[in-house]
């Protein structure tokens, strides 16, 4: 057994980033940060800072450095050394923040490079940070190497005013419905997707329901003979 557990990511403490190594992005008011409708959660007075873990410095430890070295070697042979904006190691997980225009190249490299072999992308998730000015919409890709039993994330950030990210369905076909869902819920436009249409909401549905600026309106829900009013008609606690 390796006595130096710091070099084995499986022993990394699942702890938040150390104090001073975070980036403050904004302040959330209330449970959901909504405005324009009543806060029905009972937490309308909640005020909480939204922070991101800051960039991590080498060495990362264990196979994290092997992945980073392979990535740098491939990018170093191209003119795309700036494709990775930063690397974040937090809670024992590693995330590579990638420029939107370089995502297809980086994704294919993660899939095909002999030293990486991330054969599966299990999906893409959307996140909306209204306070992250110029980078309000984030798309997070979850990659798995079945060859090496490793997991990493790629994260791409784009402005709300220009929410375009290249589709990687041609590289990871599993992303087909996931990109549609992320478009449906957050409004991120995946350029080059074979059929970018809504997948959960009706085609004529206004807005994107999982964005933080989406109102808490809705329709009554009938459940076993009882009716639950939509959120904007329930009791307000704020």
């Amino acid at each position: 057994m390796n006595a130096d557990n710091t070099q084995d990511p499986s022993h990394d403490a699942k702890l938040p980033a150390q104090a001073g190594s975070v980036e403050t992005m904004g302040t959330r008011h209330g449970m959901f940060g909504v405005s324009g409708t009543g806060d029905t959660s009972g937490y309308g007075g909640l005020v909480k800072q939204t922070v991101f873990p800051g960039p991590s410095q080498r060495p990362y430890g264990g196979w994290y450095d092997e992945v980073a070295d392979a990535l740098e070697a491939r990018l170093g042979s191209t003119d795309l050394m700036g494709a990775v904006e930063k690397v974040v190691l937090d809670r024992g997980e590693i995330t590579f923040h990638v420029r939107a225009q370089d995502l297809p190249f980086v994704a294919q490299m993660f899939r095909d490079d002999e030293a990486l072999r991330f054969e599966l992308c299990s999906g893409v998730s959307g996140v909306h940070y209204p306070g992250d000015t110029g980078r309000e919409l984030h798309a997070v890709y979850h990659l798995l190497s079945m060859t090496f039993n490793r997991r990493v994330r790629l994260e791409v950030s784009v402005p709300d005013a220009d929410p375009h990210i290249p589709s990687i369905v041609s590289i990871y076909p599993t992303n087909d419905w996931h990109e549609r869902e992320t478009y449906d819920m957050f409004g991120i436009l995946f350029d080059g997707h074979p059929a970018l249409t809504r997948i959960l909401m009706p085609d004529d549905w206004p807005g994107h329901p999982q964005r933080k600026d989406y109102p808490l309106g809705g329709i009554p829900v009938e459940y076993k003979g009882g009716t639950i009013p939509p959120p904007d008609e329930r009791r307000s606690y704020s």
Side-chain angles (χ1 to χ4, degrees):
M1 181 174 174
N2 185 2
D4 184 7
N5 288 339
T6 60
Q7 293 301 305
D8 182 357
S10 67
H11 291 86
D12 286 346
K14 305 300 188 288
L15 298 174
Q18 296 298 314
S21 60
V22 298
E23 301 173 351
T24 301
M25 186 273 298
T27 303
R28 189 184 76 196
H29 296 269
M31 176 61 77
F32 305 108
V34 298
S35 59
T37 55
D39 188 332
T40 62
S41 67
Y43 291 87
L46 179 68
V47 179
K48 187 178 185 297
Q49 277 195 330
T50 302
V51 297
F52 295 150
S56 300
Q57 304 299 320
R58 301 286 297 268
Y60 305 133
W63 62 260
Y64 297 137
D65 285 302
E66 295 176 18
V67 171
D69 289 342
L71 182 62
E72 289 181 5
R74 282 294 304 274
L75 292 177
S77 64
T78 70
D79 59 352
L80 297 178
M81 278 301 291
V84 176
E85 299 172 326
K86 64 179 178 180
V87 180
V88 174
L89 187 61
D90 185 49
R91 293 175 172 84
E93 299 176 337
I94 192 165
T95 303
F96 296 88
H97 291 254
V98 180
R99 290 189 309 204
Q101 65 268 31
D102 299 321
L103 175 63
F105 179 86
V106 173
Q108 185 156 358
M109 183 177 59
F110 266 95
R111 188 193 68 180
D112 295 344
D113 189 280
E114 292 290 339
L116 296 171
R117 286 297 189 189
F118 285 86
E119 300 96 342
L120 173 68
C121 180
S122 59
V124 55
S125 306
V127 194
H128 182 214
Y129 295 105
D132 193 10
T133 305
R135 302 166 60 90
E136 293 88 356
L137 293 169
H138 294 220
V140 185
Y141 301 81
H142 311 271
L143 306 186
L144 166 66
S145 169
M146 292 177 283
T147 299
F148 299 111
N149 191 24
R150 298 169 174 175
R151 294 179 185 270
V152 301
R153 280 195 296 261
L154 307 182
E155 186 165 339
V156 178
S157 305
V158 292
D160 194 11
D162 186 25
H164 290 266
I165 296 177
S167 171
I168 58 171
V169 169
S170 62
I171 302 165
Y172 290 111
T174 49
N175 264 24
D176 189 338
W177 287 12
H178 292 277
E179 288 185 1
R180 287 178 59 194
E181 181 179 359
T182 304
Y183 156 68
D184 195 358
M185 294 291 102
F186 294 91
I188 297 176
L189 300 171
F190 293 94
D191 297 331
H193 187 284
L196 191 64
T197 56
R198 290 189 182 271
I199 193 170
L200 298 176
M201 309 304 292
D203 289 339
D204 59 351
W205 190 268
H208 304 279
Q210 288 191 349
R211 289 172 54 100
K212 297 293 195 305
D213 54 6
Y214 191 81
L216 280 180
I219 59 175
V221 178
E222 189 171 313
Y223 180 71
K224 290 187 177 180
T227 300
I228 301 174
D232 57 342
E233 294 179 11
R234 299 176 197 167
R235 175 183 174 186
S236 178
Y237 293 87
S238 55

